[in-house]
Amino acid sequence: MHPIPPASPSSQPISPTFAPRLTRLAALLMLAACALPALAQTPPLPAAIPPLSSPIVILDDRPVGVPAAVTREHHLVSKDGKRRYEIKIATPSGMPPAKGFPVLFILDGRTALDALNRAFLDGAPPANVATVFIDYEADQPNSGGFRAWDYLPGPRAGNAPQPGDEQGGGADEFLQLLDKEIMPLVKREIPVDASRLGLYGHSYSGLFVLHALFTRPEMFRTYIATSPSLWWQNRAISEEAKEYFQRPAVPAGRKLFVLVGGKERRQPRPGIPQPFSPDMPDAQFFSEQLMHQKRFSTRFRLIPDKNHSEMLPASIGPAIHFMN
């Protein structure tokens, strides 16, 4: 990995912020948090479990702000020279906490940053979380193919790619990029609380978040997967989960937050696994299974009126709040 010289620090504000809006919304969030079921000690990933009697549904949100400026921007190039990455680091204003900032690493960072600008920054109090927006440089012609390669795990035995599948397989290499290049870069630039790191992704990158949790649980404390592409490779992520639960020991204190839109129920089609359940999105069914284990805490949230593409802008605010 060869770093490209960083751009000069930017003083351009993302957007002004102002005071929080409604006490009522905070009360709603507290009520929703209290609705989380206690985790029962049952075998991991049973074949089927009853649906939750009251899935977590929050109809409104407090707005969230990111810091007033993207203070640092860096560029990296992959070892093979095919992919160029853009990393933008934003930090809260004022003095950092004694232990450093909690940091949320956000994949598909350009779209996430645009969503924050449009939907959350107007009138929002700043979040007390440093945010790192990771994406591909904008002038690259094949960023969609890059996403598939970087975020999708490689084929497993018995799970050959289906016709028409995009080429994945670089997820472990991208985890190494995060671990050995991007995270050390961030730690050199800002004070970081290494015990409070989080990873956010949507769709392909949401599946990548789950892959990171099940294969590299030591890297982050908080894993946030929005609308993850669970169908990939005939749901190979379920096998990764089972292997994770078979480990004799894993790091304690990990948290998973899964979000999905109520309009995301897939219609069966050739070459794609049937939905887990005809009555709910796959990510909801998967999350409910994970709630029945003790190795990490799982929180699920359904946003009823959103489809797959709408979920990234709808979820980025709750994701940052979940880090606080």
Side-chain angles (χ1 to χ4, degrees), residues 167-195:
Q167 184 179 5
D172 290 330
E173 182 180 333
F174 189 69
L175 272 172
Q176 283 293 103
L177 174 71
L178 278 171
D179 188 23
K180 302 301 183 184
E181 299 286 344
I182 296 177
M183 293 171 72
L185 182 156
V186 172
K187 290 175 181 178
R188 290 193 299 268
E189 292 286 335
I190 63 173
V192 170
D193 183 348
S195 69

mmCIF file of all heavy atoms in Angstrom, residues 167-195:
data_model
loop_
_atom_site.group_PDB
_atom_site.id
_atom_site.type_symbol
_atom_site.label_atom_id
_atom_site.label_comp_id
_atom_site.label_asym_id
_atom_site.label_seq_id
_atom_site.Cartn_x
_atom_site.Cartn_y
_atom_site.Cartn_z
ATOM 1 N N GLN A 167 -18.141 -10.056 -9.162
ATOM 2 C CA GLN A 167 -16.963 -10.737 -8.649
ATOM 3 C C GLN A 167 -16.595 -10.188 -7.281
ATOM 4 O O GLN A 167 -16.206 -9.035 -7.142
ATOM 5 C CB GLN A 167 -15.785 -10.574 -9.602
ATOM 6 C CG GLN A 167 -14.548 -11.349 -9.150
ATOM 7 C CD GLN A 167 -13.383 -11.195 -10.104
ATOM 8 O OE1 GLN A 167 -13.457 -10.436 -11.053
ATOM 9 N NE2 GLN A 167 -12.301 -11.926 -9.844
ATOM 10 N N GLY A 168 -16.716 -11.028 -6.264
ATOM 11 C CA GLY A 168 -16.241 -10.676 -4.937
ATOM 12 C C GLY A 168 -14.950 -11.406 -4.648
ATOM 13 O O GLY A 168 -14.330 -11.987 -5.537
ATOM 14 N N GLY A 169 -14.548 -11.376 -3.394
ATOM 15 C CA GLY A 169 -13.384 -12.133 -2.988
ATOM 16 C C GLY A 169 -12.303 -11.346 -2.303
ATOM 17 O O GLY A 169 -11.357 -11.922 -1.775
ATOM 18 N N GLY A 170 -12.418 -10.019 -2.274
ATOM 19 C CA GLY A 170 -11.358 -9.207 -1.688
ATOM 20 C C GLY A 170 -11.634 -8.718 -0.278
ATOM 21 O O GLY A 170 -10.919 -7.845 0.224
ATOM 22 N N ALA A 171 -12.661 -9.257 0.389
ATOM 23 C CA ALA A 171 -13.054 -8.737 1.702
ATOM 24 C C ALA A 171 -11.936 -8.856 2.733
ATOM 25 O O ALA A 171 -11.699 -7.934 3.517
ATOM 26 C CB ALA A 171 -14.315 -9.434 2.195
ATOM 27 N N ASP A 172 -11.237 -9.975 2.762
ATOM 28 C CA ASP A 172 -10.165 -10.139 3.745
ATOM 29 C C ASP A 172 -9.001 -9.188 3.458
ATOM 30 O O ASP A 172 -8.381 -8.660 4.383
ATOM 31 C CB ASP A 172 -9.685 -11.586 3.760
ATOM 32 C CG ASP A 172 -10.718 -12.538 4.343
ATOM 33 O OD1 ASP A 172 -11.505 -12.105 5.208
ATOM 34 O OD2 ASP A 172 -10.744 -13.709 3.923
ATOM 35 N N GLU A 173 -8.727 -8.974 2.177
ATOM 36 C CA GLU A 173 -7.685 -8.007 1.808
ATOM 37 C C GLU A 173 -8.086 -6.600 2.244
ATOM 38 O O GLU A 173 -7.248 -5.825 2.732
ATOM 39 C CB GLU A 173 -7.449 -8.060 0.307
ATOM 40 C CG GLU A 173 -6.353 -7.135 -0.193
ATOM 41 C CD GLU A 173 -6.153 -7.223 -1.692
ATOM 42 O OE1 GLU A 173 -6.449 -8.288 -2.272
ATOM 43 O OE2 GLU A 173 -5.712 -6.214 -2.286
ATOM 44 N N PHE A 174 -9.374 -6.267 2.090
ATOM 45 C CA PHE A 174 -9.823 -4.937 2.504
ATOM 46 C C PHE A 174 -9.798 -4.802 4.024
ATOM 47 O O PHE A 174 -9.517 -3.717 4.557
ATOM 48 C CB PHE A 174 -11.223 -4.659 1.956
ATOM 49 C CG PHE A 174 -11.674 -3.243 2.152
ATOM 50 C CD1 PHE A 174 -11.083 -2.197 1.464
ATOM 51 C CD2 PHE A 174 -12.697 -2.938 3.037
ATOM 52 C CE1 PHE A 174 -11.488 -0.885 1.643
ATOM 53 C CE2 PHE A 174 -13.110 -1.634 3.233
ATOM 54 C CZ PHE A 174 -12.507 -0.600 2.529
ATOM 55 N N LEU A 175 -10.093 -5.883 4.748
ATOM 56 C CA LEU A 175 -9.939 -5.855 6.209
ATOM 57 C C LEU A 175 -8.499 -5.540 6.590
ATOM 58 O O LEU A 175 -8.239 -4.786 7.545
ATOM 59 C CB LEU A 175 -10.358 -7.191 6.809
ATOM 60 C CG LEU A 175 -11.837 -7.363 7.166
ATOM 61 C CD1 LEU A 175 -12.114 -8.809 7.562
ATOM 62 C CD2 LEU A 175 -12.250 -6.416 8.279
ATOM 63 N N GLN A 176 -7.551 -6.102 5.858
ATOM 64 C CA GLN A 176 -6.147 -5.803 6.107
ATOM 65 C C GLN A 176 -5.842 -4.342 5.834
ATOM 66 O O GLN A 176 -5.071 -3.706 6.572
ATOM 67 C CB GLN A 176 -5.257 -6.690 5.239
ATOM 68 C CG GLN A 176 -5.123 -8.121 5.736
ATOM 69 C CD GLN A 176 -4.366 -8.174 7.056
ATOM 70 O OE1 GLN A 176 -4.961 -8.335 8.137
ATOM 71 N NE2 GLN A 176 -3.061 -8.032 6.988
ATOM 72 N N LEU A 177 -6.421 -3.790 4.780
ATOM 73 C CA LEU A 177 -6.238 -2.363 4.491
ATOM 74 C C LEU A 177 -6.743 -1.513 5.654
ATOM 75 O O LEU A 177 -6.078 -0.563 6.079
ATOM 76 C CB LEU A 177 -6.974 -1.999 3.209
ATOM 77 C CG LEU A 177 -7.005 -0.508 2.856
ATOM 78 C CD1 LEU A 177 -5.640 -0.036 2.409
ATOM 79 C CD2 LEU A 177 -8.048 -0.220 1.776
ATOM 80 N N LEU A 178 -7.924 -1.849 6.171
ATOM 81 C CA LEU A 178 -8.456 -1.125 7.326
ATOM 82 C C LEU A 178 -7.524 -1.240 8.526
ATOM 83 O O LEU A 178 -7.208 -0.246 9.189
ATOM 84 C CB LEU A 178 -9.841 -1.664 7.697
ATOM 85 C CG LEU A 178 -11.048 -1.162 6.918
ATOM 86 C CD1 LEU A 178 -12.286 -1.973 7.283
ATOM 87 C CD2 LEU A 178 -11.291 0.314 7.195
ATOM 88 N N ASP A 179 -7.085 -2.462 8.800
ATOM 89 C CA ASP A 179 -6.306 -2.742 10.000
ATOM 90 C C ASP A 179 -4.899 -2.159 9.924
ATOM 91 O O ASP A 179 -4.412 -1.565 10.904
ATOM 92 C CB ASP A 179 -6.251 -4.256 10.202
ATOM 93 C CG ASP A 179 -5.639 -4.663 11.530
ATOM 94 O OD1 ASP A 179 -5.638 -3.847 12.477
ATOM 95 O OD2 ASP A 179 -5.160 -5.810 11.638
ATOM 96 N N LYS A 180 -4.247 -2.305 8.794
ATOM 97 C CA LYS A 180 -2.824 -1.968 8.695
ATOM 98 C C LYS A 180 -2.543 -0.599 8.101
ATOM 99 O O LYS A 180 -1.435 -0.065 8.280
ATOM 100 C CB LYS A 180 -2.103 -3.028 7.849
ATOM 101 C CG LYS A 180 -2.230 -4.447 8.380
ATOM 102 C CD LYS A 180 -1.677 -4.570 9.797
ATOM 103 C CE LYS A 180 -1.740 -6.021 10.284
ATOM 104 N NZ LYS A 180 -1.284 -6.139 11.700
ATOM 105 N N GLU A 181 -3.516 -0.005 7.400
ATOM 106 C CA GLU A 181 -3.266 1.277 6.744
ATOM 107 C C GLU A 181 -4.184 2.389 7.255
ATOM 108 O O GLU A 181 -3.725 3.422 7.721
ATOM 109 C CB GLU A 181 -3.426 1.124 5.222
ATOM 110 C CG GLU A 181 -2.475 0.132 4.584
ATOM 111 C CD GLU A 181 -1.052 0.663 4.493
ATOM 112 O OE1 GLU A 181 -0.851 1.885 4.634
ATOM 113 O OE2 GLU A 181 -0.136 -0.155 4.288
ATOM 114 N N ILE A 182 -5.493 2.164 7.161
ATOM 115 C CA ILE A 182 -6.426 3.256 7.458
ATOM 116 C C ILE A 182 -6.512 3.532 8.952
ATOM 117 O O ILE A 182 -6.438 4.695 9.381
ATOM 118 C CB ILE A 182 -7.820 2.942 6.863
ATOM 119 C CG1 ILE A 182 -7.728 2.871 5.337
ATOM 120 C CG2 ILE A 182 -8.833 4.005 7.291
ATOM 121 C CD1 ILE A 182 -9.023 2.501 4.647
ATOM 122 N N MET A 183 -6.651 2.501 9.785
ATOM 123 C CA MET A 183 -6.753 2.739 11.223
ATOM 124 C C MET A 183 -5.475 3.359 11.792
ATOM 125 O O MET A 183 -5.562 4.332 12.561
ATOM 126 C CB MET A 183 -7.141 1.445 11.941
ATOM 127 C CG MET A 183 -8.559 0.987 11.583
ATOM 128 S SD MET A 183 -8.999 -0.669 12.188
ATOM 129 C CE MET A 183 -9.168 -0.342 13.931
ATOM 130 N N PRO A 184 -4.281 2.892 11.443
ATOM 131 C CA PRO A 184 -3.074 3.585 11.926
ATOM 132 C C PRO A 184 -2.981 5.028 11.431
ATOM 133 O O PRO A 184 -2.529 5.906 12.165
ATOM 134 C CB PRO A 184 -1.933 2.727 11.368
ATOM 135 C CG PRO A 184 -2.521 1.366 11.200
ATOM 136 C CD PRO A 184 -3.942 1.610 10.781
ATOM 137 N N LEU A 185 -3.428 5.273 10.195
ATOM 138 C CA LEU A 185 -3.420 6.647 9.684
ATOM 139 C C LEU A 185 -4.290 7.549 10.559
ATOM 140 O O LEU A 185 -3.882 8.655 10.931
ATOM 141 C CB LEU A 185 -3.921 6.637 8.235
ATOM 142 C CG LEU A 185 -3.960 7.935 7.444
ATOM 143 C CD1 LEU A 185 -3.893 7.632 5.952
ATOM 144 C CD2 LEU A 185 -5.210 8.762 7.721
ATOM 145 N N VAL A 186 -5.502 7.065 10.881
ATOM 146 C CA VAL A 186 -6.415 7.860 11.716
ATOM 147 C C VAL A 186 -5.812 8.097 13.096
ATOM 148 O O VAL A 186 -5.873 9.209 13.644
ATOM 149 C CB VAL A 186 -7.784 7.166 11.807
ATOM 150 C CG1 VAL A 186 -8.692 7.875 12.817
ATOM 151 C CG2 VAL A 186 -8.454 7.117 10.433
ATOM 152 N N LYS A 187 -5.183 7.066 13.661
ATOM 153 C CA LYS A 187 -4.597 7.206 15.002
ATOM 154 C C LYS A 187 -3.418 8.172 15.007
ATOM 155 O O LYS A 187 -3.132 8.795 16.039
ATOM 156 C CB LYS A 187 -4.168 5.830 15.518
ATOM 157 C CG LYS A 187 -5.340 4.918 15.843
ATOM 158 C CD LYS A 187 -4.886 3.512 16.234
ATOM 159 C CE LYS A 187 -6.073 2.613 16.521
ATOM 160 N NZ LYS A 187 -5.657 1.218 16.860
ATOM 161 N N ARG A 188 -2.742 8.317 13.886
ATOM 162 C CA ARG A 188 -1.676 9.315 13.802
ATOM 163 C C ARG A 188 -2.229 10.726 13.716
ATOM 164 O O ARG A 188 -1.569 11.687 14.128
ATOM 165 C CB ARG A 188 -0.788 9.036 12.579
ATOM 166 C CG ARG A 188 0.067 7.785 12.695
ATOM 167 C CD ARG A 188 1.138 7.757 11.615
ATOM 168 N NE ARG A 188 0.598 7.749 10.264
ATOM 169 C CZ ARG A 188 0.342 6.631 9.575
ATOM 170 N NH1 ARG A 188 0.567 5.444 10.126
ATOM 171 N NH2 ARG A 188 -0.125 6.709 8.347
ATOM 172 N N GLU A 189 -3.426 10.860 13.172
ATOM 173 C CA GLU A 189 -3.980 12.184 12.914
ATOM 174 C C GLU A 189 -4.757 12.759 14.097
ATOM 175 O O GLU A 189 -4.746 13.968 14.322
ATOM 176 C CB GLU A 189 -4.895 12.123 11.685
ATOM 177 C CG GLU A 189 -4.182 11.869 10.372
ATOM 178 C CD GLU A 189 -3.420 13.084 9.891
ATOM 179 O OE1 GLU A 189 -3.786 14.207 10.265
ATOM 180 O OE2 GLU A 189 -2.431 12.911 9.147
ATOM 181 N N ILE A 190 -5.490 11.917 14.821
ATOM 182 C CA ILE A 190 -6.362 12.412 15.893
ATOM 183 C C ILE A 190 -6.226 11.505 17.111
ATOM 184 O O ILE A 190 -5.857 10.333 16.981
ATOM 185 C CB ILE A 190 -7.841 12.473 15.453
ATOM 186 C CG1 ILE A 190 -8.372 11.064 15.118
ATOM 187 C CG2 ILE A 190 -8.026 13.419 14.279
ATOM 188 C CD1 ILE A 190 -9.866 11.017 14.847
ATOM 189 N N PRO A 191 -6.551 12.019 18.320
ATOM 190 C CA PRO A 191 -6.573 11.151 19.505
ATOM 191 C C PRO A 191 -7.746 10.172 19.412
ATOM 192 O O PRO A 191 -8.892 10.584 19.201
ATOM 193 C CB PRO A 191 -6.771 12.139 20.662
ATOM 194 C CG PRO A 191 -6.519 13.500 20.098
ATOM 195 C CD PRO A 191 -6.834 13.432 18.651
ATOM 196 N N VAL A 192 -7.473 8.889 19.553
ATOM 197 C CA VAL A 192 -8.471 7.837 19.345
ATOM 198 C C VAL A 192 -8.598 6.999 20.606
ATOM 199 O O VAL A 192 -7.596 6.581 21.193
ATOM 200 C CB VAL A 192 -8.069 6.945 18.153
ATOM 201 C CG1 VAL A 192 -8.956 5.703 18.073
ATOM 202 C CG2 VAL A 192 -8.134 7.730 16.846
ATOM 203 N N ASP A 193 -9.837 6.748 21.016
ATOM 204 C CA ASP A 193 -10.118 5.779 22.075
ATOM 205 C C ASP A 193 -10.201 4.406 21.413
ATOM 206 O O ASP A 193 -11.223 4.050 20.812
ATOM 207 C CB ASP A 193 -11.423 6.124 22.780
ATOM 208 C CG ASP A 193 -11.741 5.185 23.944
ATOM 209 O OD1 ASP A 193 -11.076 4.135 24.069
ATOM 210 O OD2 ASP A 193 -12.668 5.492 24.714
ATOM 211 N N ALA A 194 -9.125 3.637 21.496
ATOM 212 C CA ALA A 194 -9.052 2.353 20.793
ATOM 213 C C ALA A 194 -10.064 1.340 21.299
ATOM 214 O O ALA A 194 -10.321 0.333 20.625
ATOM 215 C CB ALA A 194 -7.640 1.784 20.910
ATOM 216 N N SER A 195 -10.664 1.588 22.460
ATOM 217 C CA SER A 195 -11.668 0.666 22.990
ATOM 218 C C SER A 195 -13.067 0.981 22.477
ATOM 219 O O SER A 195 -14.015 0.259 22.787
ATOM 220 C CB SER A 195 -11.684 0.722 24.521
ATOM 221 O OG SER A 195 -12.182 1.966 24.985
#
